[in-house]
Amino acid sequence: MLQIPTKTKPAYNAGNILMLNQKSQCLASPVAPAKHSTPQLRNLIQKGQKVRIGMVGQLPRLRVALGWNVSCLQCDIDLSAYLLDASGKVPGDDWFVFYGQTSSPDRSVALHINESSSDREYADIDFFRLDPSIRKIVFVLTINEALERNLNFSMVQDAYIRILNPDSGQEIYSFMLTDYYDNVTSMMLGEIYLHNTEWKFNAIGNGVARDLAGLCQLYGVETN
């Protein structure tokens, strides 16, 4: 069972989910949130589009970089990655990569914060180290303490995910989020998945009204 080192977050129920549709409690501040410039996205794909990345045994490494801006200073956003097997669940609690557990047990996926550039955070993937049971890696952005502070993705802007060659930095594909809903607190931006003998990327762009612990439950991570 995994301990998630986060601030107190209440459980979701019919009553407090409705709070997400009410007026934001974002505190007014004389200081605007710092803006990160969006890199030039050269190979944009559309929401729901699935594209080829490389063949099994031939694709060595990838970098998955994400960026965003916020309109509310209270919006603290975190990247997490779920490594899933054929059942659509994690093989074990340690196959969930986030700020409290920054690499997978096989050391194939490592999470990094990169606040010095336009990419806020990124994950490096080593396919030669990746356990053969893993069939999918889902990349999610979550707002910390969203319910407690009445925060949601209508306060997020310029969110993107891009697939890079980690050696050259060259962009392979990118996806810019188009839908920012006020009843969403976690957003699945994209996933890398195995189709037959080929790795592909799916631009998801869909969100849910779940916190980090709720997403863990969705993907089979046991938390306390």
Side-chain angles (χ1 to χ4, degrees):
M1 186 172 291
L2 181 67
Q3 176 70 42
I4 299 180
T6 60
K7 297 177 183 179
T8 302
K9 296 182 183 180
Y12 282 87
N13 56 48
N16 56 26
I17 284 179
L18 290 176
M19 290 175 58
L20 293 173
N21 293 318
Q22 298 173 357
K23 185 177 180 180
S24 165
Q25 298 301 312
C26 182
L27 299 177
S29 172
V31 180
K35 293 285 186 180
H36 282 234
S37 60
T38 301
Q40 185 175 358
L41 304 178
R42 301 179 181 277
N43 295 297
L44 275 167
I45 62 175
Q46 302 301 310
K47 179 177 178 177
Q49 188 173 348
K50 300 175 176 64
V51 290
R52 297 174 174 176
I53 299 176
M55 301 298 295
V56 173
Q58 298 178 7
L59 182 65
R61 296 185 300 126
L62 284 178
R63 176 165 294 177
V64 180
L66 292 91
W68 60 85
N69 282 307
V70 298
S71 60
C72 175
L73 278 172
Q74 294 186 70
C75 280
D76 177 19
I77 297 180
D78 300 302
L79 169 63
S80 57
Y82 296 83
L83 286 74
L84 311 179
D85 60 21
S87 71
K89 304 290 185 180
V90 293
D93 295 342
D94 50 355
W95 293 92
F96 159 50
V97 179
F98 71 119
Y99 58 83
Q101 184 170 265
T102 56
S103 64
S104 58
D106 59 1
R107 296 186 298 170
S108 65
V109 177
L111 187 64
H112 305 273
I113 296 175
N114 193 36
E115 289 286 354
S116 62
S117 74
S118 53
D119 298 323
R120 300 265 191 166
E121 298 186 28
Y122 66 90
D124 281 333
I125 306 174
D126 187 334
F127 288 95
F128 291 159
R129 287 184 172 180
L130 185 65
D131 190 283
S133 69
I134 300 302
R135 294 290 183 269
K136 182 183 294 186
I137 307 172
V138 184
F139 298 92
V140 182
L141 294 181
T142 303
I143 301 176
N144 189 30
E145 296 185 335
L147 281 182
E148 186 174 274
R149 301 186 180 191
N150 202 13
L151 307 171
N152 57 70
F153 260 83
S154 71
M155 304 169 188
V156 181
Q157 307 164 346
D158 310 322
Y160 66 86
I161 180 171
R162 57 185 188 140
I163 310 300
L164 307 172
N165 180 318
D167 297 320
S168 66
Q170 182 178 2
E171 179 186 303
I172 301 171
Y173 291 108
S174 58
F175 165 60
M176 174 72 78
L177 186 66
T178 55
D179 301 314
Y180 297 88
Y181 298 112
D182 61 6
N183 63 345
V184 164
T185 56
S186 295
M187 182 70 67
M188 294 81 161
L189 256 71
E191 62 185 14
I192 290 174
Y193 68 100
L194 186 62
H195 178 70
N196 296 326
T197 59
E198 189 172 44
W199 288 104
K200 303 182 76 173
F201 173 68
N202 177 21
I204 302 176
N206 289 326
V208 293
R210 289 177 180 254
D211 60 1
L212 193 59
L215 283 172
C216 286
Q217 183 181 26
L218 179 68
Y219 291 120
V221 181
E222 294 186 12
T223 62
N224 56 8

